[in-house]
Amino acid sequence: MRFLCFGRGAFAYAGCLGLYARSCSERYMRVAFPSGSHRAGMRVRKYSQDETSRGVGVRSACYHLPHRTVVRLQGPDTGLFLQGLITNDVGLLEEPGKGAMYAHMLNVQGRTLFDIMLYRLKESDAGLGVFVECDSTVEAALLRHFKMYKLRKKLHINPCPELSVWAVLPKQRPTEQAASKPELSSPDKGLVLVTDPRTAEMGWRLVLDNQVDPLDIITSCHKGDTEEYHRHRYAIGLPEGVKDLPPGVALPLESNLVYMQGISFSKGCYIGQELTARTHHTGVVRKRLMPVCLSAPVQDLEEGAALQTQSGKPAGKHRAGVGKLGLSLVRTANAKEVLTLKSKNDAVVTVQASVPDWWPEDVKNSYRE
């Protein structure tokens, strides 16, 4: 029986920002591959944090997300309208304490068009109100999609260019110590402040008026650079936006929508539901979007650049990344191997996939001894 060393990604605080930076080569532990398999064991990424963080008194970091925008839906038929378009159950938004929801909107072939976040607004006489957060580059396409299916439903659909989206990440690791929700000194200025529904490692989502500075209303908080936010996402393997989830190409189950609490298999029909439900019930997902570590940063990559095994066989496609960190759609049959990636100028780097901490325990345990 062969063994492969699992990489332990080392998380260290990036100054007082509290952002985790993952290293590709750190300490290793020896583990066996799953019983019955003839491939090397999968690297299951584990994280540790530098206890010598700076920024005394700073509990979180705020990151402006200019690549995300907000559309407002309001009216008596808002819930009914969204229920037929998104993968998740809109009814869950009405449950106590459920202020946000993650979901995808699919085309009729069951491929992702938009990855969205839904935020429930305060009740009013105008009916259910929802902020829909999406990638800013597809806002116009989302509005057209909404208007095409609105028909005679009673709701208003309006873009909100006056609002901005922020991510608030805690300094401490949520898995090691429960992070408390940031306090707003002026609650009326925070339109939305909710836990990110995808994973606790993504902290909280904040929606503000463009004129409001988050540092004026959140205590013990520093501003961080948007690129560091993306590094954090890629380090933990969480997709977001059109680069990670190309419209009309990405499939929701391959994109780990189940693991991000973004789909309901009991809600009933919605656009693209048939293929998604059939794939789920067969239990066969042959490719997964996984965090990867490159042996060196690569600048000139074609969109959907091919991953190959050491013997030259197809093993998946690279999606996007920052520096050495990224996300790739990897064939599960080859996910335990060291793969290769070639740039436009024929530079070749090695690629190693890993299993995120926030994936379900049974998935992670299947790759442990």
PDB file of all heavy atoms in Angstrom, residues 19-20 22 47 65 67 169 198 201-202 205 226-241 243-244 291 320-322 325-327 358:
ATOM      1  N   LEU A  19      -6.259  38.037   8.148  1.00  0.00           N
ATOM      2  CA  LEU A  19      -6.527  37.222   6.966  1.00  0.00           C
ATOM      3  C   LEU A  19      -5.580  36.050   6.951  1.00  0.00           C
ATOM      4  O   LEU A  19      -4.400  36.187   7.198  1.00  0.00           O
ATOM      5  CB  LEU A  19      -6.329  38.059   5.701  1.00  0.00           C
ATOM      6  CG  LEU A  19      -6.626  37.332   4.408  1.00  0.00           C
ATOM      7  CD1 LEU A  19      -8.132  37.102   4.310  1.00  0.00           C
ATOM      8  CD2 LEU A  19      -6.149  38.131   3.220  1.00  0.00           C
ATOM      9  N   TYR A  20      -6.078  34.886   6.622  1.00  0.00           N
ATOM     10  CA  TYR A  20      -5.275  33.689   6.603  1.00  0.00           C
ATOM     11  C   TYR A  20      -4.565  33.555   5.264  1.00  0.00           C
ATOM     12  O   TYR A  20      -5.196  33.597   4.232  1.00  0.00           O
ATOM     13  CB  TYR A  20      -6.164  32.453   6.817  1.00  0.00           C
ATOM     14  CG  TYR A  20      -7.007  32.555   8.040  1.00  0.00           C
ATOM     15  CD1 TYR A  20      -8.379  32.684   7.925  1.00  0.00           C
ATOM     16  CD2 TYR A  20      -6.442  32.569   9.303  1.00  0.00           C
ATOM     17  CE1 TYR A  20      -9.172  32.801   9.055  1.00  0.00           C
ATOM     18  CE2 TYR A  20      -7.227  32.671  10.424  1.00  0.00           C
ATOM     19  CZ  TYR A  20      -8.578  32.782  10.299  1.00  0.00           C
ATOM     20  OH  TYR A  20      -9.363  32.903  11.402  1.00  0.00           O
ATOM     21  N   ARG A  22      -2.302  30.981   3.053  1.00  0.00           N
ATOM     22  CA  ARG A  22      -1.952  29.571   3.025  1.00  0.00           C
ATOM     23  C   ARG A  22      -0.648  29.338   2.297  1.00  0.00           C
ATOM     24  O   ARG A  22      -0.406  29.885   1.241  1.00  0.00           O
ATOM     25  CB  ARG A  22      -3.066  28.768   2.350  1.00  0.00           C
ATOM     26  CG  ARG A  22      -2.840  27.285   2.533  1.00  0.00           C
ATOM     27  CD  ARG A  22      -4.048  26.503   2.097  1.00  0.00           C
ATOM     28  NE  ARG A  22      -4.193  26.487   0.662  1.00  0.00           N
ATOM     29  CZ  ARG A  22      -5.103  25.780   0.041  1.00  0.00           C
ATOM     30  NH1 ARG A  22      -5.959  25.074   0.720  1.00  0.00           N
ATOM     31  NH2 ARG A  22      -5.195  25.802  -1.274  1.00  0.00           N
ATOM     32  N   TYR A  47      -5.266  23.511   8.682  1.00  0.00           N
ATOM     33  CA  TYR A  47      -4.780  24.855   8.871  1.00  0.00           C
ATOM     34  C   TYR A  47      -4.344  25.098  10.311  1.00  0.00           C
ATOM     35  O   TYR A  47      -4.922  24.589  11.248  1.00  0.00           O
ATOM     36  CB  TYR A  47      -5.872  25.876   8.522  1.00  0.00           C
ATOM     37  CG  TYR A  47      -6.428  25.691   7.136  1.00  0.00           C
ATOM     38  CD1 TYR A  47      -7.689  25.143   6.928  1.00  0.00           C
ATOM     39  CD2 TYR A  47      -5.670  26.033   6.037  1.00  0.00           C
ATOM     40  CE1 TYR A  47      -8.178  24.969   5.657  1.00  0.00           C
ATOM     41  CE2 TYR A  47      -6.154  25.858   4.758  1.00  0.00           C
ATOM     42  CZ  TYR A  47      -7.410  25.338   4.580  1.00  0.00           C
ATOM     43  OH  TYR A  47      -7.897  25.156   3.318  1.00  0.00           O
ATOM     44  N   LEU A  65     -16.038  44.885  -1.691  1.00  0.00           N
ATOM     45  CA  LEU A  65     -16.165  43.925  -2.783  1.00  0.00           C
ATOM     46  C   LEU A  65     -16.782  44.612  -4.006  1.00  0.00           C
ATOM     47  O   LEU A  65     -17.976  44.473  -4.277  1.00  0.00           O
ATOM     48  CB  LEU A  65     -17.028  42.733  -2.349  1.00  0.00           C
ATOM     49  CG  LEU A  65     -16.615  42.037  -1.053  1.00  0.00           C
ATOM     50  CD1 LEU A  65     -17.533  40.855  -0.775  1.00  0.00           C
ATOM     51  CD2 LEU A  65     -15.162  41.596  -1.086  1.00  0.00           C
ATOM     52  N   HIS A  67     -16.574  43.858  -6.969  1.00  0.00           N
ATOM     53  CA  HIS A  67     -17.005  42.889  -7.978  1.00  0.00           C
ATOM     54  C   HIS A  67     -18.388  42.320  -7.685  1.00  0.00           C
ATOM     55  O   HIS A  67     -18.893  41.488  -8.443  1.00  0.00           O
ATOM     56  CB  HIS A  67     -15.989  41.742  -8.063  1.00  0.00           C
ATOM     57  CG  HIS A  67     -15.871  40.951  -6.788  1.00  0.00           C
ATOM     58  ND1 HIS A  67     -15.255  41.438  -5.670  1.00  0.00           N
ATOM     59  CD2 HIS A  67     -16.292  39.699  -6.459  1.00  0.00           C
ATOM     60  CE1 HIS A  67     -15.285  40.537  -4.696  1.00  0.00           C
ATOM     61  NE2 HIS A  67     -15.927  39.473  -5.151  1.00  0.00           N
ATOM     62  N   LEU A 169     -14.286  39.693   7.915  1.00  0.00           N
ATOM     63  CA  LEU A 169     -13.670  38.437   8.330  1.00  0.00           C
ATOM     64  C   LEU A 169     -13.108  38.574   9.741  1.00  0.00           C
ATOM     65  O   LEU A 169     -12.473  39.581  10.069  1.00  0.00           O
ATOM     66  CB  LEU A 169     -12.541  38.041   7.376  1.00  0.00           C
ATOM     67  CG  LEU A 169     -12.932  37.819   5.920  1.00  0.00           C
ATOM     68  CD1 LEU A 169     -11.722  37.374   5.116  1.00  0.00           C
ATOM     69  CD2 LEU A 169     -14.050  36.807   5.797  1.00  0.00           C
ATOM     70  N   ARG A 198     -22.490  30.482   3.409  1.00  0.00           N
ATOM     71  CA  ARG A 198     -21.733  29.414   2.739  1.00  0.00           C
ATOM     72  C   ARG A 198     -20.858  28.629   3.696  1.00  0.00           C
ATOM     73  O   ARG A 198     -20.841  27.397   3.675  1.00  0.00           O
ATOM     74  CB  ARG A 198     -20.898  30.018   1.613  1.00  0.00           C
ATOM     75  CG  ARG A 198     -21.730  30.662   0.515  1.00  0.00           C
ATOM     76  CD  ARG A 198     -20.896  31.450  -0.462  1.00  0.00           C
ATOM     77  NE  ARG A 198     -20.265  32.622   0.166  1.00  0.00           N
ATOM     78  CZ  ARG A 198     -19.539  33.508  -0.478  1.00  0.00           C
ATOM     79  NH1 ARG A 198     -19.331  33.362  -1.789  1.00  0.00           N
ATOM     80  NH2 ARG A 198     -19.014  34.552   0.140  1.00  0.00           N
ATOM     81  N   GLU A 201     -16.116  30.196   7.732  1.00  0.00           N
ATOM     82  CA  GLU A 201     -14.789  30.734   7.421  1.00  0.00           C
ATOM     83  C   GLU A 201     -14.852  31.984   6.550  1.00  0.00           C
ATOM     84  O   GLU A 201     -13.834  32.632   6.317  1.00  0.00           O
ATOM     85  CB  GLU A 201     -13.925  29.660   6.761  1.00  0.00           C
ATOM     86  CG  GLU A 201     -13.644  28.496   7.676  1.00  0.00           C
ATOM     87  CD  GLU A 201     -12.556  27.577   7.138  1.00  0.00           C
ATOM     88  OE1 GLU A 201     -11.665  28.071   6.420  1.00  0.00           O
ATOM     89  OE2 GLU A 201     -12.612  26.376   7.432  1.00  0.00           O
ATOM     90  N   MET A 202     -16.050  32.336   6.064  1.00  0.00           N
ATOM     91  CA  MET A 202     -16.219  33.554   5.279  1.00  0.00           C
ATOM     92  C   MET A 202     -16.795  34.705   6.098  1.00  0.00           C
ATOM     93  O   MET A 202     -17.125  35.751   5.554  1.00  0.00           O
ATOM     94  CB  MET A 202     -17.106  33.274   4.063  1.00  0.00           C
ATOM     95  CG  MET A 202     -16.438  32.408   3.009  1.00  0.00           C
ATOM     96  SD  MET A 202     -14.902  33.105   2.362  1.00  0.00           S
ATOM     97  CE  MET A 202     -15.508  34.576   1.545  1.00  0.00           C
ATOM     98  N   ARG A 205     -21.427  39.135   5.946  1.00  0.00           N
ATOM     99  CA  ARG A 205     -21.675  39.971   4.783  1.00  0.00           C
ATOM    100  C   ARG A 205     -22.301  41.268   5.263  1.00  0.00           C
ATOM    101  O   ARG A 205     -23.207  41.251   6.126  1.00  0.00           O
ATOM    102  CB  ARG A 205     -22.618  39.238   3.831  1.00  0.00           C
ATOM    103  CG  ARG A 205     -22.270  39.225   2.358  1.00  0.00           C
ATOM    104  CD  ARG A 205     -20.882  38.884   2.013  1.00  0.00           C
ATOM    105  NE  ARG A 205     -20.702  38.734   0.557  1.00  0.00           N
ATOM    106  CZ  ARG A 205     -19.671  38.149   0.008  1.00  0.00           C
ATOM    107  NH1 ARG A 205     -18.689  37.712   0.749  1.00  0.00           N
ATOM    108  NH2 ARG A 205     -19.578  38.041  -1.305  1.00  0.00           N
ATOM    109  N   THR A 226      -8.846  44.177  -1.177  1.00  0.00           N
ATOM    110  CA  THR A 226      -9.748  43.219  -1.826  1.00  0.00           C
ATOM    111  C   THR A 226      -9.004  41.985  -2.320  1.00  0.00           C
ATOM    112  O   THR A 226      -9.539  40.867  -2.262  1.00  0.00           O
ATOM    113  CB  THR A 226     -10.483  43.889  -3.000  1.00  0.00           C
ATOM    114  OG1 THR A 226     -11.198  45.029  -2.522  1.00  0.00           O
ATOM    115  CG2 THR A 226     -11.473  42.931  -3.641  1.00  0.00           C
ATOM    116  N   GLU A 227      -7.772  42.151  -2.801  1.00  0.00           N
ATOM    117  CA  GLU A 227      -7.023  40.996  -3.279  1.00  0.00           C
ATOM    118  C   GLU A 227      -6.756  40.005  -2.159  1.00  0.00           C
ATOM    119  O   GLU A 227      -6.748  38.793  -2.374  1.00  0.00           O
ATOM    120  CB  GLU A 227      -5.703  41.431  -3.907  1.00  0.00           C
ATOM    121  CG  GLU A 227      -4.909  40.257  -4.502  1.00  0.00           C
ATOM    122  CD  GLU A 227      -3.703  40.680  -5.305  1.00  0.00           C
ATOM    123  OE1 GLU A 227      -3.821  41.682  -6.043  1.00  0.00           O
ATOM    124  OE2 GLU A 227      -2.660  40.020  -5.192  1.00  0.00           O
ATOM    125  N   GLU A 228      -6.575  40.510  -0.945  1.00  0.00           N
ATOM    126  CA  GLU A 228      -6.358  39.611   0.194  1.00  0.00           C
ATOM    127  C   GLU A 228      -7.631  38.824   0.510  1.00  0.00           C
ATOM    128  O   GLU A 228      -7.574  37.677   0.958  1.00  0.00           O
ATOM    129  CB  GLU A 228      -5.884  40.417   1.400  1.00  0.00           C
ATOM    130  CG  GLU A 228      -4.488  40.991   1.189  1.00  0.00           C
ATOM    131  CD  GLU A 228      -4.060  41.903   2.319  1.00  0.00           C
ATOM    132  OE1 GLU A 228      -4.939  42.351   3.087  1.00  0.00           O
ATOM    133  OE2 GLU A 228      -2.857  42.175   2.423  1.00  0.00           O
ATOM    134  N   TYR A 229      -8.782  39.448   0.288  1.00  0.00           N
ATOM    135  CA  TYR A 229     -10.042  38.724   0.429  1.00  0.00           C
ATOM    136  C   TYR A 229     -10.088  37.555  -0.548  1.00  0.00           C
ATOM    137  O   TYR A 229     -10.471  36.437  -0.184  1.00  0.00           O
ATOM    138  CB  TYR A 229     -11.207  39.677   0.172  1.00  0.00           C
ATOM    139  CG  TYR A 229     -12.544  38.985  -0.047  1.00  0.00           C
ATOM    140  CD1 TYR A 229     -13.308  38.531   1.014  1.00  0.00           C
ATOM    141  CD2 TYR A 229     -13.030  38.769  -1.349  1.00  0.00           C
ATOM    142  CE1 TYR A 229     -14.527  37.896   0.810  1.00  0.00           C
ATOM    143  CE2 TYR A 229     -14.247  38.136  -1.561  1.00  0.00           C
ATOM    144  CZ  TYR A 229     -14.994  37.702  -0.482  1.00  0.00           C
ATOM    145  OH  TYR A 229     -16.182  37.061  -0.693  1.00  0.00           O
ATOM    146  N   HIS A 230      -9.681  37.788  -1.802  1.00  0.00           N
ATOM    147  CA  HIS A 230      -9.677  36.714  -2.794  1.00  0.00           C
ATOM    148  C   HIS A 230      -8.650  35.635  -2.428  1.00  0.00           C
ATOM    149  O   HIS A 230      -8.904  34.438  -2.630  1.00  0.00           O
ATOM    150  CB  HIS A 230      -9.390  37.276  -4.181  1.00  0.00           C
ATOM    151  CG  HIS A 230     -10.513  38.101  -4.739  1.00  0.00           C
ATOM    152  ND1 HIS A 230     -11.789  37.606  -4.897  1.00  0.00           N
ATOM    153  CD2 HIS A 230     -10.562  39.395  -5.164  1.00  0.00           C
ATOM    154  CE1 HIS A 230     -12.576  38.545  -5.403  1.00  0.00           C
ATOM    155  NE2 HIS A 230     -11.847  39.651  -5.572  1.00  0.00           N
ATOM    156  N   ARG A 231      -7.505  36.041  -1.894  1.00  0.00           N
ATOM    157  CA  ARG A 231      -6.529  35.044  -1.446  1.00  0.00           C
ATOM    158  C   ARG A 231      -7.125  34.146  -0.368  1.00  0.00           C
ATOM    159  O   ARG A 231      -6.901  32.936  -0.346  1.00  0.00           O
ATOM    160  CB  ARG A 231      -5.267  35.733  -0.920  1.00  0.00           C
ATOM    161  CG  ARG A 231      -4.396  36.356  -2.002  1.00  0.00           C
ATOM    162  CD  ARG A 231      -3.120  36.933  -1.399  1.00  0.00           C
ATOM    163  NE  ARG A 231      -2.310  37.560  -2.428  1.00  0.00           N
ATOM    164  CZ  ARG A 231      -1.460  36.918  -3.211  1.00  0.00           C
ATOM    165  NH1 ARG A 231      -1.308  35.609  -3.066  1.00  0.00           N
ATOM    166  NH2 ARG A 231      -0.765  37.558  -4.123  1.00  0.00           N
ATOM    167  N   HIS A 232      -7.869  34.766   0.517  1.00  0.00           N
ATOM    168  CA  HIS A 232      -8.525  33.976   1.564  1.00  0.00           C
ATOM    169  C   HIS A 232      -9.499  32.974   0.954  1.00  0.00           C
ATOM    170  O   HIS A 232      -9.525  31.797   1.326  1.00  0.00           O
ATOM    171  CB  HIS A 232      -9.254  34.914   2.524  1.00  0.00           C
ATOM    172  CG  HIS A 232     -10.100  34.213   3.538  1.00  0.00           C
ATOM    173  ND1 HIS A 232      -9.574  33.478   4.566  1.00  0.00           N
ATOM    174  CD2 HIS A 232     -11.455  34.123   3.673  1.00  0.00           C
ATOM    175  CE1 HIS A 232     -10.552  32.972   5.304  1.00  0.00           C
ATOM    176  NE2 HIS A 232     -11.707  33.349   4.770  1.00  0.00           N
ATOM    177  N   ARG A 233     -10.316  33.431  -0.002  1.00  0.00           N
ATOM    178  CA  ARG A 233     -11.275  32.538  -0.655  1.00  0.00           C
ATOM    179  C   ARG A 233     -10.577  31.365  -1.317  1.00  0.00           C
ATOM    180  O   ARG A 233     -10.990  30.203  -1.156  1.00  0.00           O
ATOM    181  CB  ARG A 233     -12.067  33.293  -1.730  1.00  0.00           C
ATOM    182  CG  ARG A 233     -13.153  34.187  -1.274  1.00  0.00           C
ATOM    183  CD  ARG A 233     -14.114  34.489  -2.411  1.00  0.00           C
ATOM    184  NE  ARG A 233     -13.493  34.995  -3.615  1.00  0.00           N
ATOM    185  CZ  ARG A 233     -13.314  34.274  -4.720  1.00  0.00           C
ATOM    186  NH1 ARG A 233     -13.673  32.997  -4.755  1.00  0.00           N
ATOM    187  NH2 ARG A 233     -12.758  34.819  -5.794  1.00  0.00           N
ATOM    188  N   TYR A 234      -9.530  31.663  -2.088  1.00  0.00           N
ATOM    189  CA  TYR A 234      -8.841  30.592  -2.799  1.00  0.00           C
ATOM    190  C   TYR A 234      -8.108  29.666  -1.829  1.00  0.00           C
ATOM    191  O   TYR A 234      -7.990  28.467  -2.074  1.00  0.00           O
ATOM    192  CB  TYR A 234      -7.873  31.184  -3.821  1.00  0.00           C
ATOM    193  CG  TYR A 234      -8.577  31.808  -5.015  1.00  0.00           C
ATOM    194  CD1 TYR A 234      -8.303  33.109  -5.417  1.00  0.00           C
ATOM    195  CD2 TYR A 234      -9.531  31.092  -5.729  1.00  0.00           C
ATOM    196  CE1 TYR A 234      -8.960  33.681  -6.506  1.00  0.00           C
ATOM    197  CE2 TYR A 234     -10.193  31.652  -6.809  1.00  0.00           C
ATOM    198  CZ  TYR A 234      -9.907  32.947  -7.198  1.00  0.00           C
ATOM    199  OH  TYR A 234     -10.563  33.502  -8.269  1.00  0.00           O
ATOM    200  N   ALA A 235      -7.627  30.235  -0.735  1.00  0.00           N
ATOM    201  CA  ALA A 235      -6.942  29.403   0.250  1.00  0.00           C
ATOM    202  C   ALA A 235      -7.870  28.358   0.855  1.00  0.00           C
ATOM    203  O   ALA A 235      -7.462  27.220   1.113  1.00  0.00           O
ATOM    204  CB  ALA A 235      -6.346  30.276   1.357  1.00  0.00           C
ATOM    205  N   ILE A 236      -9.133  28.732   1.086  1.00  0.00           N
ATOM    206  CA  ILE A 236     -10.074  27.770   1.676  1.00  0.00           C
ATOM    207  C   ILE A 236     -10.913  27.063   0.611  1.00  0.00           C
ATOM    208  O   ILE A 236     -11.731  26.212   0.935  1.00  0.00           O
ATOM    209  CB  ILE A 236     -10.991  28.444   2.711  1.00  0.00           C
ATOM    210  CG1 ILE A 236     -11.940  29.442   2.051  1.00  0.00           C
ATOM    211  CG2 ILE A 236     -10.162  29.114   3.809  1.00  0.00           C
ATOM    212  CD1 ILE A 236     -13.000  29.995   2.994  1.00  0.00           C
ATOM    213  N   GLY A 237     -10.734  27.436  -0.669  1.00  0.00           N
ATOM    214  CA  GLY A 237     -11.410  26.728  -1.748  1.00  0.00           C
ATOM    215  C   GLY A 237     -12.853  27.108  -1.968  1.00  0.00           C
ATOM    216  O   GLY A 237     -13.686  26.245  -2.281  1.00  0.00           O
ATOM    217  N   LEU A 238     -13.189  28.404  -1.821  1.00  0.00           N
ATOM    218  CA  LEU A 238     -14.578  28.822  -1.979  1.00  0.00           C
ATOM    219  C   LEU A 238     -14.750  29.654  -3.256  1.00  0.00           C
ATOM    220  O   LEU A 238     -14.126  30.698  -3.396  1.00  0.00           O
ATOM    221  CB  LEU A 238     -15.029  29.623  -0.758  1.00  0.00           C
ATOM    222  CG  LEU A 238     -16.540  29.868  -0.726  1.00  0.00           C
ATOM    223  CD1 LEU A 238     -17.101  29.588   0.664  1.00  0.00           C
ATOM    224  CD2 LEU A 238     -16.862  31.289  -1.140  1.00  0.00           C
ATOM    225  N   PRO A 239     -15.577  29.199  -4.193  1.00  0.00           N
ATOM    226  CA  PRO A 239     -15.779  29.920  -5.460  1.00  0.00           C
ATOM    227  C   PRO A 239     -16.725  31.100  -5.310  1.00  0.00           C
ATOM    228  O   PRO A 239     -17.639  31.085  -4.473  1.00  0.00           O
ATOM    229  CB  PRO A 239     -16.384  28.854  -6.374  1.00  0.00           C
ATOM    230  CG  PRO A 239     -17.157  27.977  -5.436  1.00  0.00           C
ATOM    231  CD  PRO A 239     -16.353  27.937  -4.160  1.00  0.00           C
ATOM    232  N   GLU A 240     -16.504  32.124  -6.151  1.00  0.00           N
ATOM    233  CA  GLU A 240     -17.389  33.285  -6.142  1.00  0.00           C
ATOM    234  C   GLU A 240     -17.219  34.047  -7.448  1.00  0.00           C
ATOM    235  O   GLU A 240     -16.108  34.417  -7.818  1.00  0.00           O
ATOM    236  CB  GLU A 240     -17.048  34.192  -4.954  1.00  0.00           C
ATOM    237  CG  GLU A 240     -17.928  35.418  -4.814  1.00  0.00           C
ATOM    238  CD  GLU A 240     -17.575  36.218  -3.578  1.00  0.00           C
ATOM    239  OE1 GLU A 240     -17.994  35.803  -2.469  1.00  0.00           O
ATOM    240  OE2 GLU A 240     -16.849  37.229  -3.692  1.00  0.00           O
ATOM    241  N   GLY A 241     -18.305  34.272  -8.144  1.00  0.00           N
ATOM    242  CA  GLY A 241     -18.256  35.096  -9.339  1.00  0.00           C
ATOM    243  C   GLY A 241     -17.997  34.329 -10.620  1.00  0.00           C
ATOM    244  O   GLY A 241     -17.803  33.109 -10.631  1.00  0.00           O
ATOM    245  N   LYS A 243     -15.524  34.217 -12.803  1.00  0.00           N
ATOM    246  CA  LYS A 243     -14.247  33.566 -13.103  1.00  0.00           C
ATOM    247  C   LYS A 243     -14.196  32.155 -12.526  1.00  0.00           C
ATOM    248  O   LYS A 243     -13.672  31.230 -13.156  1.00  0.00           O
ATOM    249  CB  LYS A 243     -13.083  34.398 -12.563  1.00  0.00           C
ATOM    250  CG  LYS A 243     -12.863  35.701 -13.306  1.00  0.00           C
ATOM    251  CD  LYS A 243     -11.635  36.419 -12.788  1.00  0.00           C
ATOM    252  CE  LYS A 243     -11.384  37.704 -13.576  1.00  0.00           C
ATOM    253  NZ  LYS A 243     -10.190  38.431 -13.079  1.00  0.00           N
ATOM    254  N   ASP A 244     -14.724  32.001 -11.333  1.00  0.00           N
ATOM    255  CA  ASP A 244     -14.736  30.677 -10.687  1.00  0.00           C
ATOM    256  C   ASP A 244     -15.894  29.824 -11.176  1.00  0.00           C
ATOM    257  O   ASP A 244     -15.791  28.587 -11.213  1.00  0.00           O
ATOM    258  CB  ASP A 244     -14.834  30.830  -9.171  1.00  0.00           C
ATOM    259  CG  ASP A 244     -13.710  31.656  -8.575  1.00  0.00           C
ATOM    260  OD1 ASP A 244     -12.638  31.738  -9.198  1.00  0.00           O
ATOM    261  OD2 ASP A 244     -13.905  32.237  -7.490  1.00  0.00           O
ATOM    262  N   PRO A 291      -9.693  23.502  -4.198  1.00  0.00           N
ATOM    263  CA  PRO A 291      -8.566  24.425  -4.058  1.00  0.00           C
ATOM    264  C   PRO A 291      -7.283  23.740  -4.510  1.00  0.00           C
ATOM    265  O   PRO A 291      -7.071  22.553  -4.231  1.00  0.00           O
ATOM    266  CB  PRO A 291      -8.538  24.720  -2.558  1.00  0.00           C
ATOM    267  CG  PRO A 291      -9.189  23.538  -1.920  1.00  0.00           C
ATOM    268  CD  PRO A 291     -10.230  23.059  -2.902  1.00  0.00           C
ATOM    269  N   ALA A 320      -9.461  29.709 -11.907  1.00  0.00           N
ATOM    270  CA  ALA A 320      -8.935  31.040 -11.591  1.00  0.00           C
ATOM    271  C   ALA A 320      -8.099  30.942 -10.323  1.00  0.00           C
ATOM    272  O   ALA A 320      -8.078  29.912  -9.642  1.00  0.00           O
ATOM    273  CB  ALA A 320     -10.075  32.038 -11.409  1.00  0.00           C
ATOM    274  N   GLY A 321      -7.415  32.048 -10.006  1.00  0.00           N
ATOM    275  CA  GLY A 321      -6.604  32.056  -8.803  1.00  0.00           C
ATOM    276  C   GLY A 321      -5.857  33.355  -8.628  1.00  0.00           C
ATOM    277  O   GLY A 321      -5.936  34.269  -9.442  1.00  0.00           O
ATOM    278  N   VAL A 322      -5.094  33.419  -7.532  1.00  0.00           N
ATOM    279  CA  VAL A 322      -4.225  34.549  -7.216  1.00  0.00           C
ATOM    280  C   VAL A 322      -2.889  33.981  -6.780  1.00  0.00           C
ATOM    281  O   VAL A 322      -2.824  33.219  -5.812  1.00  0.00           O
ATOM    282  CB  VAL A 322      -4.818  35.422  -6.086  1.00  0.00           C
ATOM    283  CG1 VAL A 322      -3.850  36.532  -5.718  1.00  0.00           C
ATOM    284  CG2 VAL A 322      -6.160  36.007  -6.494  1.00  0.00           C
ATOM    285  N   LEU A 325      -2.238  30.239  -5.428  1.00  0.00           N
ATOM    286  CA  LEU A 325      -3.509  29.680  -4.972  1.00  0.00           C
ATOM    287  C   LEU A 325      -4.558  29.779  -6.060  1.00  0.00           C
ATOM    288  O   LEU A 325      -4.572  30.736  -6.844  1.00  0.00           O
ATOM    289  CB  LEU A 325      -3.994  30.420  -3.731  1.00  0.00           C
ATOM    290  CG  LEU A 325      -3.056  30.431  -2.522  1.00  0.00           C
ATOM    291  CD1 LEU A 325      -3.642  31.299  -1.425  1.00  0.00           C
ATOM    292  CD2 LEU A 325      -2.801  29.026  -2.019  1.00  0.00           C
ATOM    293  N   GLY A 326      -5.446  28.806  -6.114  1.00  0.00           N
ATOM    294  CA  GLY A 326      -6.486  28.863  -7.127  1.00  0.00           C
ATOM    295  C   GLY A 326      -7.551  27.812  -6.938  1.00  0.00           C
ATOM    296  O   GLY A 326      -7.568  27.072  -5.946  1.00  0.00           O
ATOM    297  N   LEU A 327      -8.443  27.752  -7.904  1.00  0.00           N
ATOM    298  CA  LEU A 327      -9.504  26.751  -7.946  1.00  0.00           C
ATOM    299  C   LEU A 327      -9.453  26.046  -9.291  1.00  0.00           C
ATOM    300  O   LEU A 327      -9.317  26.698 -10.334  1.00  0.00           O
ATOM    301  CB  LEU A 327     -10.880  27.404  -7.778  1.00  0.00           C
ATOM    302  CG  LEU A 327     -11.281  27.854  -6.376  1.00  0.00           C
ATOM    303  CD1 LEU A 327     -12.539  28.704  -6.438  1.00  0.00           C
ATOM    304  CD2 LEU A 327     -11.499  26.656  -5.471  1.00  0.00           C
ATOM    305  N   TRP A 358     -13.880  23.052   5.428  1.00  0.00           N
ATOM    306  CA  TRP A 358     -15.309  23.301   5.603  1.00  0.00           C
ATOM    307  C   TRP A 358     -16.186  22.286   4.863  1.00  0.00           C
ATOM    308  O   TRP A 358     -17.412  22.334   4.992  1.00  0.00           O
ATOM    309  CB  TRP A 358     -15.667  24.725   5.159  1.00  0.00           C
ATOM    310  CG  TRP A 358     -15.238  25.099   3.777  1.00  0.00           C
ATOM    311  CD1 TRP A 358     -14.048  25.645   3.408  1.00  0.00           C
ATOM    312  CD2 TRP A 358     -16.007  24.974   2.573  1.00  0.00           C
ATOM    313  NE1 TRP A 358     -14.015  25.852   2.050  1.00  0.00           N
ATOM    314  CE2 TRP A 358     -15.204  25.463   1.506  1.00  0.00           C
ATOM    315  CE3 TRP A 358     -17.288  24.506   2.289  1.00  0.00           C
ATOM    316  CZ2 TRP A 358     -15.652  25.487   0.188  1.00  0.00           C
ATOM    317  CZ3 TRP A 358     -17.728  24.529   0.973  1.00  0.00           C
ATOM    318  CH2 TRP A 358     -16.913  25.015  -0.056  1.00  0.00           C
TER     319      TRP A 358
END
